[in-house]
Amino acid sequence: MPIADLILVLHAVVVVLVVGGQALFMAGYHRRWRWVLHRSPRMVHLGLVLFITLQAWAGRWCPLTLLEYQYRAAAGEPVPTESFLQHWLGRLVYWDVPPRVCTAVYTLFGLLVLGYFLLLERRNRDTLRPSDAP
């Protein structure tokens, strides 16, 4: 398997982890799963989503997309002219996705992640607070 394809698979795994991770954090909040109160995985998730969102606002492509396209060009393969999300969403829904739509999607998702991060922080703080018991 060419390196560019491995990077594409890694990129897809990151997307699944970001979206699936948020789904798990949301379900965990509502189902009161204790593991979602652990700060480390939530910090990594939030940091990754903030990085993605800031990249979109800055008009920059994901480093994984750039790396994949670099290896494709070096191998003499055709290189897409759109970003990872534009390319795959465009294929999924059969229409072109302008960059501003991607930025809006990243921003809304980033706000969702931040909102649940803060909800879980509050629950974590309330859980760790000494109870009123004697």
Side-chain angles (χ1 to χ4, degrees):
M1 178 180 279
I3 292 175
D5 290 344
L6 289 174
I7 294 169
L8 177 62
V9 169
L10 174 63
H11 205 167
V13 167
V14 169
V15 170
V16 168
L17 288 174
V18 165
V19 175
Q22 182 58 30
L24 286 173
F25 289 132
M26 290 168 61
Y29 174 79
H30 294 287
R31 293 179 178 263
R32 296 190 176 272
W33 294 339
R34 291 194 51 82
W35 71 267
V36 299
L37 298 179
H38 295 281
R39 187 173 285 143
S40 296
R42 290 186 296 114
M43 290 292 287
V44 169
H45 186 255
L46 178 63
L48 184 57
V49 171
L50 288 176
F51 174 79
I52 292 166
T53 304
L54 291 174
Q55 286 283 113
W57 274 99
R60 300 187 189 274
W61 285 11
C62 173
L64 290 174
T65 300
L66 296 175
L67 191 60
E68 175 198 345
Y69 290 0
Q70 177 183 350
Y71 278 105
R72 290 204 187 286
E77 295 179 21
V79 176
T81 57
E82 65 271 349
S83 73
F84 177 86
L85 187 63
Q86 288 172 298
H87 180 75
W88 290 104
L89 277 181
R91 284 184 171 204
L92 180 65
V93 295
Y94 301 106
W95 50 278
D96 290 329
V97 179
R100 67 181 178 276
V101 172
C102 295
T103 301
V105 168
Y106 292 143
T107 301
L108 290 172
F109 188 76
L111 290 171
L112 178 73
V113 169
L114 180 61
Y116 269 88
F117 181 89
L118 295 172
L119 283 172
L120 286 163
E121 277 295 298
R122 189 176 76 204
R123 179 167 290 162
N124 194 28
R125 186 180 61 241
D126 292 346
T127 301
L128 296 178
R129 182 180 299 154
S131 67
D132 295 329

